[in-house]
Amino acid sequence: MQKFEKFMGIVCPLGRSNVDTDAIIPKQFLKSIQRSGFGPNLFDEWRYLDRGEPGMDSSGRPLNTGFVLNDPRYTGASILLARENFGCGSSREHAPWALLDYGFRVIIAPSFADIFFNNCFKNGILPVRLEEKTVEGLFAQANGPEALRIEVDLASQQLKPEGGEGIGFEVDPFRKHCLLEGLDDIGLTLQHVGDIRAYEQRRRAEAPWLFFHS
Amino acid sequence: MQPKTLYDKLWESHVVREEADGTALLYIDRQLVHEVTSPQAFEGLRLAGRKPWRAETNLATPDHNIPTRNRDRGIEDPVARTQVETLGANCADFGITEFRMDDPRQGIVHVVGPEQGATLPGMTVVCGDSHTSTHGALGALAHGIGTSEVEHVLASQCLIQRKSKAMLIQVEGKTGPGVTAKDIVLAIIGEIGTAGGTGYAIEFAGEAIRDLSVEGRMTVCNMAIEAGARAGFVAVDEKTIDYVKGRPYAPKAEDWDKAVAWWRTLHSDAGATFDRIVTLKAAEIEPQVTWGTSPEMVVSVSDRVPDPAQEKDPVKADGMRRALAYMGLTANTPISEIPVDIVFIGSCTNSRIEDLRAAAQVAKGRKVAANVKQALVVPGSGLVKQQAEAEGLDKVFVEAGFEWRDPGCSMCLAMNDDRLEPGERCASTSNRNFEGRQGPGGRTHLVSPAMAAAAAIAGRFVDVRELGLRP
């Protein structure tokens, strides 16, 4: 995983609540056996006027110009501003893969669905929960004539909107450490092989039926 | 001793180690694997030169992508075929048991696991699918994970987790006739909202839950995720133990006795404390129908489509208007005046034998209405299909004008060719009414199997308790 470094990015405001992972990346694209290449199909049904299929070249497809991702103000956006319960529904990790592939590194919302929230960290995306009121304020700015730019500093847990006051945010210390260092969870877990073996030995005595065929 | 919740007991018995900040390494007893969320996980193992920690704890079957008819022709969609073949190759390479498409045990992972006794009370169960909460019906701690975590469990048999908060949802008293597990869980979601359970593990309790069969409890736990909770579960009782007994992967002989002794402790102790308690009265629950594009947008069949003009919260009212526009509905229309084009009976929520019996009871001796273009019945597994055919349910459905298909996820998420066309309206026993879920532009109304069958017969939503359609 890439290390999460301080950056300044354009904010794209997606003013809908309960955005589900089916909307983030529709099911037909889940047939891929790859981790990459989902960006052109991010929000496919909202973003294009035709029906997208895997393998289709999206560059010539008719755009839904009313959808925020197609607004020229937000070209190159790397921060997605969303409303409550973002990422609900299916556990598909293709959703963070698509967001990342498109270029989003940070998602700001008042609340996230649990599985999606967790999946973001596994892919170097920082989900930031902020108070509803603060999110409203950012929406007002991001919807203005000029795109809002925010500097994201994970180390100091600060969002700094250009020309505005810094906004602090909470992040789980373990998750923060993993993002900053670009650490692989599996490698970390496998440092505890001894503990896993000891647990299994104890458990095999207590609950032998859980150690079927072995 | 401090009284414990069922969640405490399930959690504590699986903690391998715990860090000072509360992050824990949690041991996973069973992982279910399907074709859509696993290929990148196996690829990750391969790239890192890792092997499964305990290959035998994984059980795989293709379900999301496979055709539900003409299976002798194989999978015609080349992209889907590659994915299903990739699952086969990965399972063969890594020594994982797989029930392939031609195996009578193949089916939807969440139907297959309990059916085989592969998911048991007291287990931790994961799968790269959010409806893994289904297995909580057996008194297991079961939840969906992403592909990175699928790989993590394959490689280490563990997950890095933080304990959730504990919620108790009590459904007190008895349900009226015609009110099923699906109606109970839709009413719960209507009450607490799709994010109401976020950050919680939910224990479902109360007389109405205890009265449900284990299959009914699976329907309730299945939709815990639609209330935002990754895990939902029900305490073990004699019904649970009877359900598990004799299944192929269930413990035998002295292991059985030892297991049962532990399983009988899997309930919340008297006096255990919860972070939140929600109580519903079963007698107040009527057959439910969703009207919008989120499962919380649900009303009773006797109600009308809600009016955004009555909603004070502007963001919510805006969401309602958007949902009504997508669904092609007008506020204040009686639910029973909404006609349906398609009926889908299936999915990990409602494709077990009891679901098919309930639908068949309504369909028996009746005909699908002329305005219904297609009515599908998709059993949850090959074994459910065999059982239904042994009971003659397939004939009941076919004579009434339903199509009788092979097992899979099918039109619940429309990854195969069972899908809605833009604008088509479906009475569906599945779990999600999101925009485009059953096909781009498709309009989904979630209902119970009996209500779906009734909608097929009437050509519109109708209260199963009326018209002599009582299941």
Side-chain angles (χ1 to χ4, degrees):
Chain A
M1 202 167 73
Q2 238 190 323
K3 286 186 182 183
F4 193 100
E5 280 159 3
K6 184 153 103 173
F7 74 99
M8 171 79 95
I10 294 173
V11 178
C12 178
L14 179 63
R16 303 186 184 204
S17 44
N18 297 318
V19 171
D20 58 78
T21 54
D22 275 81
I24 297 173
I25 182 82
K27 83 284 278 121
Q28 62 268 34
F29 304 106
L30 310 191
K31 293 177 192 175
S32 167
I33 57 170
Q34 314 290 327
R35 250 175 209 268
S36 55
F38 296 102
N41 303 110
L42 176 69
F43 298 117
D44 199 276
E45 284 172 22
W46 292 342
R47 196 164 150 199
Y48 302 101
L49 295 171
D50 62 345
R51 180 183 155 85
E53 288 293 345
M56 199 184 235
D57 176 10
S58 290
S59 58
R61 293 174 59 196
L63 296 177
N64 172 11
T65 49
F67 184 59
V68 70
L69 238 58
N70 295 325
D71 187 319
R73 271 178 299 177
Y74 309 120
T75 304
S78 53
I79 301 170
L80 185 66
L81 182 64
R83 294 203 189 274
E84 81 250 15
N85 200 26
F86 187 83
C88 61
S90 155
S91 63
R92 60 188 69 168
E93 200 160 318
H94 311 68
W97 295 339
L99 288 159
L100 189 68
D101 199 57
Y102 181 87
F104 287 117
R105 303 292 313 281
V106 173
I107 304 166
I108 302 170
S111 60
F112 294 88
D114 287 341
I115 301 178
F116 176 82
F117 187 74
N118 198 35
N119 282 342
C120 282
F121 287 106
K122 311 281 179 191
N123 292 283
I125 296 177
L126 173 65
V128 177
R129 276 191 284 243
L130 293 180
E131 299 256 327
E132 190 105 41
K133 223 169 41 193
T134 315
V135 171
E136 276 315 313
L138 292 175
F139 263 106
Q141 292 176 65
N143 284 325
E146 290 292 321
L148 168 67
R149 289 156 59 89
I150 293 182
E151 185 188 75
V152 180
D153 186 354
L154 174 58
S156 68
Q157 298 179 212
Q158 285 280 316
L159 300 179
K160 291 174 192 144
E162 212 169 31
E165 295 273 303
I167 303 165
F169 62 89
E170 294 294 321
V171 59
D172 179 287
F174 174 71
R175 293 289 167 219
K176 175 180 173 180
H177 173 70
C178 290
L179 276 185
L180 287 173
E181 300 299 324
L183 293 178
D184 161 23
D185 275 4
I186 298 177
L188 289 174
T189 294
L190 290 176
Q191 290 172 1
H192 304 301
V193 165
D195 290 325
I196 303 172
R197 296 262 184 243
Y199 172 87
E200 286 180 328
Q201 201 178 358
R202 192 174 80 233
R203 198 71 182 139
R204 195 186 286 268
E206 285 169 2
W209 66 90
L210 294 174
F211 293 80
F212 37 84
H213 317 307
S214 60
Chain B
M1 223 166 50
Q2 178 90 7
K4 288 178 178 171
T5 62
L6 171 56
Y7 181 50
D8 292 332
K9 294 177 188 183
L10 293 170
W11 174 267
E12 287 167 12
S13 57
H14 289 87
V15 172
V16 169
R17 59 177 281 133
E18 197 162 359
E19 308 299 332
D21 69 356
T23 308
L25 207 54
L26 198 72
Y27 195 81
I28 303 302
D29 295 315
R30 174 66 78 189
Q31 173 156 244
L32 300 167
V33 179
H34 63 86
E35 76 277 26
V36 176
T37 56
S38 67
Q40 297 87 351
F42 284 113
E43 191 56 21
L45 276 192
R46 223 174 251 121
L47 289 172
R50 290 175 178 138
K51 288 198 161 44
W53 184 272
R54 283 177 64 204
E56 74 279 8
T57 60
N58 298 281
L59 179 64
T61 190
D63 57 7
H64 282 61
N65 240 325
I66 54 171
T68 58
R69 60 179 160 183
N70 303 324
R71 287 211 175 153
D72 48 332
R73 290 189 212 155
I75 305 175
E76 286 174 3
D77 173 355
V79 194
R81 189 171 63 234
T82 301
Q83 199 169 50
V84 172
E85 286 170 354
T86 302
L87 177 67
N90 283 327
C91 289
D93 282 1
F94 290 107
I96 290 169
T97 303
E98 184 197 9
F99 299 156
R100 296 196 176 190
M101 209 166 76
D102 56 359
D103 188 317
R105 297 170 296 177
Q106 177 271 332
I108 305 173
V109 276
H110 307 310
V111 175
V112 170
E115 182 176 80
Q116 290 294 319
T119 50
L120 294 169
M123 271 186 167
T124 41
V125 179
V126 296
C127 175
D129 189 279
S130 61
H131 293 109
T132 309
S133 56
T134 309
H135 309 270
L138 297 165
L141 179 58
H143 61 82
I145 55 178
T147 298
S148 295
E149 289 187 320
V150 171
E151 184 183 343
H152 198 123
V153 174
L154 281 167
S156 71
Q157 211 60 40
C158 292
L159 275 182
I160 299 171
Q161 295 272 289
R162 269 173 177 284
K163 200 173 173 189
S164 304
K165 291 179 283 183
M167 186 188 297
L168 177 68
I169 297 185
Q170 306 181 101
V171 188
E172 292 181 341
K174 296 209 178 286
T175 51
V179 176
T180 67
K182 183 65 162 285
D183 303 302
I184 293 175
V185 73
L186 285 171
I188 289 171
I189 296 163
E191 175 75 22
I192 71 172
T194 52
T198 302
Y200 289 92
I202 299 179
E203 178 174 349
F204 297 99
E207 187 180 0
I209 301 292
R210 285 197 303 277
D211 280 353
L212 291 172
S213 68
V214 172
E215 291 193 2
R217 295 172 189 180
M218 287 181 203
T219 301
V220 173
C221 291
N222 173 274
M223 292 190 73
I225 186 66
E226 307 324 326
R230 289 206 299 173
F233 34 77
V234 175
V236 172
D237 61 8
E238 291 309 307
K239 280 185 195 172
T240 325
I241 294 167
D242 289 345
Y243 176 89
V244 171
K245 191 162 194 177
R247 295 192 181 264
Y249 285 76
K252 310 274 184 311
E254 67 264 37
D255 272 359
W256 171 259
D257 298 333
K258 203 168 179 179
V260 168
W262 183 52
W263 295 345
R264 290 213 165 101
T265 69
L266 296 177
H267 52 78
S268 291
D269 297 330
T273 54
F274 292 84
D275 299 289
R276 187 177 170 197
I277 297 178
V278 175
T279 304
L280 278 80
K281 290 200 169 59
E284 290 173 3
I285 301 173
E286 288 192 73
Q288 303 283 298
V289 181
T290 64
W291 58 268
T293 53
S294 165
E296 70 184 11
M297 294 172 163
V298 64
V299 291
S300 298
V301 63
S302 56
D303 285 343
R304 289 166 183 266
V305 173
D307 188 347
Q310 306 295 319
E311 175 58 54
K312 290 189 188 79
D313 177 347
V315 174
K316 223 170 187 176
D318 185 47
M320 289 171 74
R321 272 184 214 102
R322 206 194 299 270
L324 290 180
Y326 181 84
M327 294 296 288
L329 291 174
T330 310
N332 301 312
T333 305
I335 296 293
S336 60
E337 286 178 14
I338 302 173
V340 301
D341 304 309
I342 308 282
V343 173
F344 171 61
I345 298 173
S347 88
C348 57
T349 313
N350 281 130
S351 64
R352 296 173 187 83
I353 191 67
E354 291 173 11
D355 299 316
L356 303 190
R357 285 177 190 147
Q361 204 175 337
V362 173
K364 190 165 188 172
R366 298 189 169 95
K367 294 283 177 203
V368 171
N371 63 302
V372 173
K373 293 188 246 180
Q374 187 180 42
L376 283 184
V377 185
V378 185
S381 73
L383 296 178
V384 169
K385 187 176 189 198
Q386 280 180 6
Q387 176 66 30
E389 289 175 354
E391 296 178 19
L393 304 185
D394 58 323
K395 291 198 183 64
V396 170
F397 286 123
V398 171
E399 278 165 18
F402 289 82
E403 294 176 38
W404 179 244
R405 297 290 188 90
D406 288 320
C409 300
S410 181
M411 202 185 270
C412 172
L413 86 166
M415 274 190 80
N416 68 357
D417 29 334
D418 305 332
R419 70 168 81 109
L420 301 181
E421 292 302 319
E424 281 182 341
R425 188 179 301 286
C426 181
S428 178
T429 66
S430 56
N431 40 58
R432 289 189 174 131
N433 51 352
F434 298 159
E435 285 186 26
R437 171 79 178 182
Q438 294 191 292
R443 295 161 173 167
T444 303
H445 296 265
L446 304 175
V447 288
S448 74
M451 284 285 289
I457 303 302
R460 59 183 172 85
F461 291 105
V462 62
D463 189 334
V464 281
R465 300 170 301 179
E466 295 167 12
L467 309 172
L469 290 173
R470 178 174 298 186

